[in-house]
């Protein structure tokens, strides 16, 4: 999907596997989030922490859908002000920049998650060594 948005060469058959992979990634992350929440913060305040985890996609969607996509779409409509249907924008150029921004943020989020996973593994390895009593 990101390739089609950025290049836009009209190769529609690539859209189907891209949409399937995107759905699997989103569904997999949605199913793994409760385990991640429990592993990071424990079970004591799981309900409150899980609600915060659940609000993150909602706020991100609100920001990107209304803030970024709406602004860019309105700018394209203003550029096409001389057309007969001045309130609409047609073609891939209307959403290309939005999809590139959202894709870039997804890559940045994946990199942050990988970095967090690396540091958490280092932290847990160090904490396991500190808990094990030394033989005297």
């Amino acid at each position: 999907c990101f390739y089609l948005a950025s290049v836009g060469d009209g190769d529609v058959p690539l859209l189907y596997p891209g949409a399937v992979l995107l759905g699997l990634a989103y569904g997999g992350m949605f199913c793994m989030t409760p385990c991640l929440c429990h592993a990071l913060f424990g079970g004591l305040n799981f309900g409150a922490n899980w609600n915060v985890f659940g609000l993150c996609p909602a706020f991100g969607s609100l920001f990107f859908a209304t803030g970024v996509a709406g602004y860019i779409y309105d700018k394209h409509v203003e550029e096409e002000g001389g057309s007969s249907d001045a309130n609409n924008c047609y073609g891939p150029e209307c959403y290309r920049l939005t999809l590139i921004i959202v894709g870039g943020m997804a890559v940045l989020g994946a990199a942050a998650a990988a970095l967090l996973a690396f540091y958490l593994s280092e932290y847990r390895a160090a904490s396991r060594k500190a808990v094990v009593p030394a033989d005297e």
Side-chain angles (χ1 to χ4, degrees):
C1 292
F2 184 67
Y3 169 76
L4 289 174
S6 61
V7 176
D9 61 356
D11 195 8
V12 176
L14 287 177
L15 181 65
Y16 301 117
V20 168
L21 288 174
L22 184 67
L24 288 173
Y26 180 75
M29 202 53 203
F30 186 73
C31 293
M32 290 173 44
T33 305
C35 297
L36 178 66
C37 180
H38 188 272
L40 288 175
F41 302 111
L44 184 62
N45 295 317
F46 179 77
N49 293 334
W50 171 241
N51 284 328
V52 171
F53 270 66
L55 286 176
C56 293
F59 285 133
S61 176
L62 180 68
F63 172 73
F64 284 113
T66 58
V68 175
Y71 177 77
I72 293 172
Y73 185 86
D74 288 343
K75 287 297 178 187
H76 281 289
V77 168
E78 287 176 10
E79 290 174 5
E80 295 179 5
S83 66
S84 61
D85 195 6
N87 291 329
N88 294 321
C89 181
Y90 299 104
E93 67 276 351
C94 301
Y95 293 104
R96 180 172 288 135
L97 181 59
T98 301
L99 291 173
I100 290 172
I101 291 171
V102 170
M105 293 303 292
V107 168
L108 183 67
L115 192 64
L116 177 66
F118 174 74
Y119 282 123
L120 279 176
S121 67
E122 294 286 322
Y123 172 76
R124 289 194 177 157
S127 66
R128 278 189 215 129
K129 288 179 185 175
V131 171
V132 176
D135 291 334
E136 295 182 18

